[in-house]
Amino acid sequence: MRTIFLIFSIGIWHLSQTPARAADFDGTRPFVCTVMQVVACDRTGEVEKDAAEDVNLPRSFSIDVGNKLAISTGPAGETRKTSIETVRHVNGTLILEGVQLGKAWHAVINEETGKATITSTTEPTVFVVFADCSLDKPTAAAK
């Protein structure tokens, strides 16, 4: 019995010495997201799968929550910077919101896996973007 107590005590002590690891995509450090799929839907209900370039979106972008910026390079080579206006954490999810060029956008990113779903809306069209994020070092303007 004494041996079991000793092993249990050592196990508890060891767990208390292990630092808690923050979720990789909780916004404490910048990360890069790569667009995997884009779906567009217009007012008529027509739904299309598109490549990012076909709807004037970058293939990847950097997210820097600390500086409240999303940065990318557009299809024509221009640098795009978008302010992140709202940051929330809900049940292991990083939620970001903003507006760019009259388009409202909303991002939901799993803080553990980096899987992201982003919506962008205009009056006639909604875009749903599925992306995978990684901790690769973000560049000044993600391509």
Side-chain angles (χ1 to χ4, degrees), residues 33 49 55-56 67 76 110 115 127:
C33 297
K49 289 183 181 179
V55 291
N56 199 28
N67 289 314
N110 183 299
K115 299 284 184 192
F127 296 95

Side-chain angles (χ1 to χ4, degrees), residues 41 43 100-105 119-127:
C41 179
R43 281 193 172 280
Q100 180 185 26
L101 301 173
K103 296 175 183 80
W105 60 268
T119 59
S120 176
T121 57
T122 62
E123 185 275 321
T125 308
V126 63
F127 296 95

Side-chain angles (χ1 to χ4, degrees), residues 88-95 111:
R88 288 180 240 200
H89 298 273
V90 179
N91 298 325
T93 302
L94 174 62
I95 300 170
E111 293 181 344

Side-chain angles (χ1 to χ4, degrees), residues 18-133:
T18 306
R21 185 174 158 265
D24 286 336
F25 303 97
D26 64 357
T28 55
R29 55 187 180 175
F31 53 89
V32 175
C33 297
T34 301
V35 174
M36 305 307 287
Q37 181 72 53
V38 179
V39 179
C41 179
D42 66 21
R43 281 193 172 280
T44 66
E46 286 293 315
V47 177
E48 272 183 39
K49 289 183 181 179
D50 290 304
E53 298 83 10
D54 294 340
V55 291
N56 199 28
L57 290 174
R59 285 178 292 195
S60 65
F61 50 92
S62 296
I63 299 285
D64 185 343
V65 176
N67 289 314
K68 289 194 161 191
L69 282 176
I71 303 169
S72 66
T73 301
E78 74 282 9
T79 297
R80 297 177 177 175
K81 290 184 181 183
T82 302
S83 294
I84 299 169
E85 296 177 15
T86 305
V87 177
R88 288 180 240 200
H89 298 273
V90 179
N91 298 325
T93 302
L94 174 62
I95 300 170
L96 308 173
E97 297 171 312
V99 176
Q100 180 185 26
L101 301 173
K103 296 175 183 80
W105 60 268
H106 180 91
V108 176
I109 304 166
N110 183 299
E111 293 181 344
E112 293 292 328
T113 66
K115 299 284 184 192
T117 303
I118 303 149
T119 59
S120 176
T121 57
T122 62
E123 185 275 321
T125 308
V126 63
F127 296 95
V128 179
V129 176
F130 298 97
D132 288 339
C133 302

